[in-house]
Amino acid sequence: MEQVISFVALAAGLIIGLGAIGACIGIGIMGSKYLESAARQPELMNELQTKMFLLAGLIDAAFIIGTGIALWFATANPFLGQLAAR
């Protein structure tokens, strides 16, 4: 039973860590492309900025949802009750 709990902790750490890495890389690439496109066409800067902030919020939302699910499994794992019943 303790081995299952350690696997849950490992899985939660992987979900949070890989989600954070993916979100950081995604926002970094998006920011660099925004600066590149704003330098090429400065007249579209306001429209591009709005879209960039919208996408940054969606990328962060996906990471936060993954973090919430990982913490839910770490604190109140619904699968442990099924294992204990066996």
Side-chain angles (χ1 to χ4, degrees), residues 1 3 5 7-9 11 13 18 20 22 24 27 30-31 34 39-40 44-46 52 60 68-69 72 75 85:
M1 188 65 149
Q3 187 178 13
I5 294 173
F7 284 144
V8 170
L18 293 176
C24 290
I27 289 178
M30 183 182 57
Y34 164 71
R40 289 177 188 248
L44 294 177
M45 195 171 186
N46 290 334
M52 186 195 75
D60 279 342
I69 291 171
W72 175 52
T75 58

Side-chain angles (χ1 to χ4, degrees), residues 65-81:
I65 289 170
T67 301
I69 291 171
L71 292 176
W72 175 52
F73 281 147
T75 58
N77 192 344
F79 302 118
L80 290 179

Side-chain angles (χ1 to χ4, degrees), residues 13-38:
L14 284 173
I15 290 171
I16 294 171
L18 293 176
I21 289 171
C24 290
I25 290 172
I27 289 178
I29 291 172
M30 183 182 57
S32 70
K33 295 296 181 179
Y34 164 71
L35 290 175
E36 185 179 310
S37 62

